[in-house]
Structure formats: structure tokens, C-alpha cells
């Protein structure tokens, strides 16, 4: 009896990788310390900040496209991020606007990354070669998913 292609895809190593990425991200985020040293962000705000960090000076419409978010949700998130002091909108060519992270955002990210590094060191120890390989793979995935239409097939 032939296998159902949807069933085979659901059991593929790529599907398992995607599931693990989502779950590990959630678990790391749940262990992130809260308090005065970290500015709390919503999920949408985190997505917007990631795109702003990856592509400084990006227009709001480009942030929406790269993050696969509705333009109205990005506009709302940008207003909130501005009020938190995390981003600044600066004039761009024509009537355009470019979004840049502020020093507060950079300090916030440094604090988060430091906390995440401590958490992962406790779990992974010093297996840095494997960590680097995994990081390179995830960076390639992120790059492709934020520049392409999200389709990796045939590449």
C-alpha cells in the first residue's frame, strides 16, 4: 500500500527539526530572566526587532514582508517599540521611513544573549564545535526564510 505523502512529510527529519526549533525557542524564552535589566517584548515585537537587527534601516513594509506579518501588526508593534525606546524611525528616500534599533535595544539584546548563553552553558557545557555547526545551519535557514518567499524546495 503506498504511503500518504503528507504522512511521510510529517515524519521527515526536516519536520522534526522545525518542531524542535519551535519548542527549544519556547523553552529558552521561558527561562529568560525578567526584571529591570530586560525590556519585555511581545512575540510580534520580538519578530520585528529580529528583522530590524538583521536588516538595519529597513522600511516598515519590508519588515512586514520579511517577518511574514500583517502591515497593520507591524505598525502597531513599531509604535509600541518606539514608546519603549527600542526603535527609532528616521526619514529615508522620498516619503519613506527607515527603522533602526536604539542603544537601549542593543543593550537589551546583549542582556538577553548573556542570559541565554548562561542557560545554554549549563545544559550543553563546552561542546562549542557542535554549537557553531548548529548556529551556522540556523543562520542559513533564517537568511533564506527572511529573503525568499519562505520556500526552500529545490535549493
Amino acid at each position: 500500500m503506498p504511503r500518504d505523502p503528507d504522512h511521510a512529510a510529517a515524519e521527515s527529519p526536516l519536520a522534526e527539526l522545525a518542531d524542535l526549533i519551535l519548542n527549544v525557542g519556547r523553552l529558552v524564552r521561558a527561562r529568560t530572566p525578567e526584571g529591570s535589566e530586560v525590556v519585555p517584548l511581545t512575540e510580534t515585537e520580538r519578530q520585528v526587532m529580529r528583522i530590524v537587527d538583521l536588516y538595519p534601516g529597513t522600511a516598515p513594509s519590508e519588515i512586514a514582508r520579511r517577518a511574514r506579518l500583517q502591515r497593520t501588526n507591524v505598525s502597531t508593534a513599531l509604535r509600541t517599540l518606539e514608546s519603549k525606546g527600542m526603535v527609532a524611525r528616521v526619514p529615508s528616500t522620498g516619503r519613506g521611513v527607515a527603522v533602526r534599533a536604539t542603544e537601549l535595544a542593543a543593550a537589551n539584546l546583549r542582556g538577553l544573549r548573556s542570559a541565554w548563553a548562561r542557560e545554554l552553558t549549563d545544559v550543553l557545557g563546552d561542546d562549542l564545535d557542535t554549537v557553531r555547526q548548529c548556529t551556522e545551519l540556523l543562520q542559513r535557514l533564517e537568511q533564506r526564510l527572511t529573503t525568499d518567499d519562505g520556500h526552500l524546495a529545490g535549493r
Side-chain angles (χ1 to χ4, degrees):
M1 177 183 268
R3 286 188 67 165
D4 175 12
D6 289 337
H7 179 73
E11 291 183 1
S12 82
L14 294 173
E16 181 66 15
L17 175 64
D19 191 37
L20 285 168
I21 289 169
L22 292 169
N23 195 47
V24 169
R26 184 190 61 77
L27 291 169
V28 168
R29 192 172 304 123
R31 295 177 71 128
T32 301
E34 293 183 10
S36 60
E37 79 262 7
V38 176
V39 177
L41 301 178
T42 67
E43 180 61 31
T44 301
E45 291 167 351
R46 278 192 290 274
Q47 287 178 290
V48 168
M49 286 305 306
R50 183 65 183 171
I51 298 299
V52 170
D53 287 335
L54 287 172
Y55 306 97
T58 301
S61 59
E62 187 67 9
I63 293 169
R65 186 186 72 75
R66 289 181 184 276
R68 312 294 191 267
L69 295 170
Q70 294 293 320
R71 178 74 167 86
T72 55
N73 293 344
V74 170
S75 294
T76 300
L78 286 172
R79 279 193 300 278
T80 306
L81 288 165
E82 279 182 303
S83 72
K84 292 178 178 182
M86 300 293 282
V87 297
R89 296 187 218 208
V90 296
S92 182
T93 57
R95 295 182 358 201
V97 172
V99 180
R100 298 203 179 277
T102 64
E103 180 49 42
L104 175 61
N108 196 61
L109 185 56
R110 284 191 301 271
L112 286 170
R113 291 173 67 98
S114 177
W116 295 334
R118 284 191 304 274
E119 288 292 329
L120 294 182
T121 298
D122 289 347
V123 175
L124 298 174
D126 60 357
D127 188 5
L128 295 183
D129 287 336
T130 302
V131 169
R132 284 184 188 99
Q133 290 174 356
C134 184
T135 300
E136 289 171 10
L137 170 66
L138 293 173
Q139 286 171 335
R140 283 197 322 266
L141 280 169
E142 181 179 52
Q143 172 74 33
R144 293 292 286 277
L145 291 170
T146 59
T147 56
D148 292 348
D149 288 334
H151 303 289
L152 298 175
R155 306 224 170 131

